[in-house]
Amino acid sequence: MTSIVDEEFRALGLGVLAEAALSAARKAGAEYADLRVHRLLTQSIRLRDGRVESLTDATELGLAVRVLVDGTWGFASHAGLTPQTACEVARRAVGVATTLRALNRERVELAPEPVYPEASWVSEYAVDPFTVPTGEKVALLQDYSERLSSADGVDHVTASVLQVKEQTYYADTFGSAITQQRVRLHPQLEAITVDSAAGVFETMRTLAAPAGRGWEYVTGADGTWDWAGELARIPGWLAEKVKAPTVTAGPTDLVIDPTNLWLTIHESIGHATEYDRAIGYESAYAGTSFATPDQLGTLRYGTPIMHVTGDRTQVNGLATVGYDDEGVAGQQWDLVRDGILVGYQLDRAFAPRLGLERSNGCSYADSAHHVPIQRMANVSLQPDPERDTSTAELISRVEDGLYIVGDKSWSIDMQRYNFQFTGQRFFRIRDGELAGQVRDVAYQATTTDFWGSMEAVGGPSTWQLGGAFNCGKAQPGQVAAVSHGCPSVLVRGVNILNTRTEAGR
């Protein structure tokens, strides 16, 4: 595994920039200051029917200075990386804080954190995707595309991979100086069948989640993903889905696969336990939360088997870091324990508001030109700690129900309470066994009703990471990548909608 931050980034004179910026901020009147140098490398490759449709490379580099003046935040950034620019940015940040001081109604106090001088962290990956020749990447996607397009019934195939390398340097007036590098990517293929006579189409895509891994994930090296097996099975699943009967709406027992459940966790737990949403501080972008702090320790989120953690340390997690953008070391903590709301996701400014002595490390900015805000950790449902219950065993407990695999569309209200989700594949369960696919399925519930209907969770062997590259928040908008681990689960009596009927077709 790679363990050293690229020399190209380390050679940018990071320590000199920090010394210049922090010294200038102090001299200008800041009681606290931090500097962040942020470099983001991205490459996106997309093919349609084996031909390159788009291929883009981008690099973003800049520095940011954040200060506190009389308990008021100030922030400024610049694309230039010289000591002179760093000083100017620091003075500009102090000017912003001084201007805003008269409008500040609550003094910002930062929770304490140990100092980490000369710290370094690199995410776990074997092959840096930015060292792999682009032609080699395109050839692999073409090979995967051909495996799908050569199958009967597949009319079109799209293939894509998005890869990111994020490098940051953080230093503050407390004495921390932290250099980090993390790599993430998302490979995806989708098969499409078209019924021209009926004017309809259907799709089926791979379920490999975006992950904090390297190019080995796309090749499937070391068992990271079984691309050959999945690509061989997709045409058959798609053909069956096209001919599948429509679902009957009504209360239904469900076994939900991790490839679908991760998104339900993201929307109904991940966003709901962001502390800034819970107190109404964040509301303009996607709303607030029903899980308010007055219910901490009492809100029955789900059944007693429900144990949900926030985690900045999960191996290969998209939100995994050594330290957040306020210099707080990565941690794991409880959000829901024994079905009760017991925690939130916090940064150094919000932790004291909740009476906590330490942040749990949830500060992040997606660019040097955006101020760090409280962002989601890897929020995960834990498996059965006592018994390795399999997905097949959960299915065997259902007399008449559905097994749901893969995510697709979703919606949730502005308090993260009323929701509905669809999926990639829906299998009927009859007398404890799978009995073919159905289609036009969505499941609908309130957050507490849904998690309150969870009868069983699978064991560790069913647990896997899902996730997304594009979790949006704030205005101006920021995007963060986040993973969610979970086992398969059995939930009873969840309302099923027939999406075709709901659409008036």
Side-chain angles (χ1 to χ4, degrees), residues 167-187:
Q167 299 163 324
T168 57
Y169 174 77
Y170 170 90
D172 61 33
T173 49
F174 295 131
S176 287
I178 302 165
T179 309
Q180 300 190 93
Q181 176 170 294
R182 54 180 178 151
V183 166
R184 55 186 180 268
L185 47 74
H186 187 193

Side-chain angles (χ1 to χ4, degrees), residues 36-284:
R36 181 170 43 88
V37 178
H38 194 137
R39 183 173 185 243
L40 197 67
L41 306 176
T42 61
Q43 184 182 70
S44 174
I45 304 173
R46 181 176 176 83
L47 280 65
R48 180 174 173 82
D49 296 333
R51 296 184 178 182
V52 176
E53 188 174 62
S54 64
L55 198 163
T56 59
D57 290 275
T59 300
E60 182 183 285
L61 177 64
L63 64 83
V65 177
R66 192 177 62 156
V67 302
L68 280 174
V69 177
D70 292 336
T72 303
W73 283 123
F75 174 83
S77 68
H78 199 281
L81 297 185
T82 67
Q84 294 77 16
T85 299
C87 290
E88 293 169 4
V89 170
R91 288 190 286 266
R92 188 151 47 92
V94 171
V96 171
T98 302
T99 301
L100 294 176
R101 183 171 49 192
L103 301 176
N104 188 15
R105 289 181 284 179
E106 184 175 356
R107 181 181 177 86
V108 175
E109 300 288 347
L110 299 181
E113 178 71 13
V115 173
Y116 306 100
E118 301 182 14
S120 182
W121 179 86
V122 178
S123 65
E124 295 197 26
Y125 58 93
V127 180
D128 182 344
F130 290 90
T131 66
V132 179
T134 299
E136 184 177 324
K137 298 173 189 175
V138 171
L140 182 60
L141 292 179
Q142 287 175 326
D143 173 51
Y144 287 171
S145 297
E146 173 62 24
R147 299 187 196 192
L148 287 176
S149 62
S150 61
D152 291 340
V154 176
D155 296 300
H156 299 286
V157 174
T158 61
S160 63
V161 62
L162 175 60
Q163 62 186 48
V164 178
K165 181 189 287 185
E166 188 171 23
Q167 299 163 324
T168 57
Y169 174 77
Y170 170 90
D172 61 33
T173 49
F174 295 131
S176 287
I178 302 165
T179 309
Q180 300 190 93
Q181 176 170 294
R182 54 180 178 151
V183 166
R184 55 186 180 268
L185 47 74
H186 187 193
Q188 183 172 278
L189 287 98
E190 184 173 59
I192 305 164
T193 185
V194 179
D195 184 340
S196 300
V200 296
F201 68 95
E202 192 56 83
T203 66
M204 188 73 68
R205 61 172 167 79
T206 52
L207 300 181
R213 294 182 180 271
W215 191 249
E216 69 279 1
Y217 187 41
V218 189
T219 63
D222 301 322
T224 50
W225 193 259
D226 181 14
W227 292 100
E230 185 175 28
L231 293 174
R233 291 187 290 269
I234 281 179
W237 283 326
L238 179 58
E240 182 183 4
K241 185 178 182 180
V242 169
K243 299 176 181 178
T246 193
V247 73
T248 300
T252 306
D253 295 341
L254 307 177
V255 174
I256 305 180
D257 195 78
T259 55
N260 179 273
L261 189 65
W262 74 265
L263 184 55
T264 310
I265 292 170
H266 177 88
E267 297 297 339
S268 69
I269 306 174
H271 280 307
T273 57
E274 293 176 303
Y275 185 70
D276 57 349
R277 291 191 190 279
I279 63 173
Y281 186 93
E282 166 74 15
S283 60

Side-chain angles (χ1 to χ4, degrees), residues 305-461:
I305 62 173
M306 184 181 186
H307 180 201
V308 179
T309 59
D311 193 349
R312 300 285 269 175
T313 66
Q314 173 64 51
V315 174
N316 305 129
L318 293 171
T320 297
V321 292
Y323 308 85
D324 76 349
D325 282 352
E326 293 181 325
V328 178
Q331 305 156 48
Q332 184 189 73
W333 68 99
D334 287 342
L335 294 169
V336 178
R337 186 176 58 244
D338 300 326
I340 303 296
L341 174 69
V342 296
Y344 289 100
Q345 303 164 73
L346 301 153
D347 62 17
R348 290 181 80 168
F350 285 129
R353 293 192 185 195
L354 197 58
L356 299 180
E357 295 182 356
R358 188 188 184 200
S359 162
N360 46 40
C362 289
S363 178
Y364 173 72
D366 67 356
S367 163
H369 308 299
H370 287 157
V371 67
I373 58 174
Q374 186 256 293
R375 292 310 311 261
M376 198 182 300
N378 303 305
V379 173
S380 299
L381 175 68
Q382 298 305 305
D384 187 336
E386 298 180 356
R387 189 169 181 274
D388 194 12
T389 305
S390 67
T391 302
E393 184 174 339
L394 295 179
I395 291 171
S396 72
R397 300 184 192 181
V398 177
E399 182 178 341
D400 186 2
L402 294 173
Y403 173 47
I404 301 177
V405 179
D407 66 276
K408 203 168 185 181
S409 65
W410 56 273
S411 66
I412 194 165
D413 72 8
M414 298 293 275
Q415 274 66 54
R416 329 308 297 182
Y417 194 61
N418 292 281
F419 64 67
Q420 67 179 47
F421 292 87
T422 63
Q424 285 286 315
R425 300 189 288 275
F426 308 92
F427 296 91
R428 283 189 293 192
I429 304 173
R430 294 290 184 268
D431 299 322
E433 295 184 353
L434 299 184
Q437 290 188 57
V438 294
R439 56 191 302 179
D440 310 317
V441 180
Y443 60 94
Q444 180 273 329
T446 66
T447 293
T448 51
D449 283 348
F450 177 81
W451 295 108
S453 69
M454 186 167 64
E455 180 180 292
V457 296
S461 65

